[in-house]
Amino acid sequence: MANPDAQGVTGAPFRLDVERGKIREFALATGAADAAYLREEDPVVQPTFLTTTFFWQGEDANPWPAVELDQQRGLHAEQQYTFFGEPPRAGTRLTCQSRIGEIYTKVGRRGGEMTFAVMYTDFRDETGRLVARAKLTGVETAHPPDTGAATQDGASA
């Protein structure tokens, strides 16, 4: 069961240097063939590049453990990015900070209760301007998934 007291928990700020080589590697890893990512001297990042922030944040910067979702029943439900202008380019130094937003429940289509938790990460440039915001939504189902063990007639156990 999620911890409702986690709402508002904020991680320590951390730095993300947007590097040309990392933009190129990310583009190649995701199959992006656009020359703008691969050949420009100061390429703009792909919209999902900011996912790499997880490689840069230290333990004290990540408030997600405070949510306490049961990992046996947890799923990554959604990842969304909002840019407040042009996406950052190579050479930009971003300061990032994550906080836990809403925690709420809904009844699923199969009747079980699902608990949703949202984490926001803000990305600010050297001037303090909000460049982008990431929204991560995790969900915990009421029951663990069926293991899928099949019986001899092929039906699930």
Side-chain angles (χ1 to χ4, degrees), residues 25-40:
E25 290 171 3
F26 190 84
L28 292 172
T30 58
D34 190 328
Y37 302 130
L38 303 174
R39 294 187 186 89
E40 287 192 19

Side-chain angles (χ1 to χ4, degrees), residues 88-150:
R89 292 186 169 275
T92 304
R93 174 169 283 176
L94 298 171
T95 299
C96 317
Q97 190 166 30
S98 300
R99 63 181 159 74
I100 302 301
E102 311 83 35
I103 297 176
Y104 57 95
T105 60
K106 291 170 83 173
V107 176
R109 285 184 286 184
R110 296 181 184 168
E113 184 174 89
M114 299 184 301
T115 301
F116 292 82
V118 179
M119 181 172 75
Y120 297 97
T121 302
D122 288 343
F123 301 85
R124 296 184 182 277
D125 66 13
E126 296 93 335
T127 69
R129 182 180 70 85
L130 182 61
V131 173
R133 176 172 290 147
K135 177 183 175 187
L136 177 154
T137 303
V139 63
E140 178 185 87
T141 60
H143 306 286
D146 186 356
T147 59

Side-chain angles (χ1 to χ4, degrees), residues 31-92:
D34 190 328
Y37 302 130
L38 303 174
R39 294 187 186 89
E40 287 192 19
E41 282 299 313
D42 62 342
V44 67
V45 301
Q46 287 181 264
T48 56
F49 177 83
L50 296 178
T51 299
T52 64
T53 191
F54 292 112
F55 297 117
W56 292 91
Q57 67 183 169
E59 196 171 302
D60 64 338
N62 184 4
W64 190 253
V67 177
E68 300 175 9
L69 289 184
D70 181 341
Q71 295 304 306
Q72 296 290 319
R73 300 180 287 143
L75 303 167
H76 182 199
E78 181 180 37
Q79 186 75 38
Q80 179 181 15
Y81 295 94
T82 303
F83 291 91
F84 303 95
E86 180 178 291
R89 292 186 169 275
T92 304

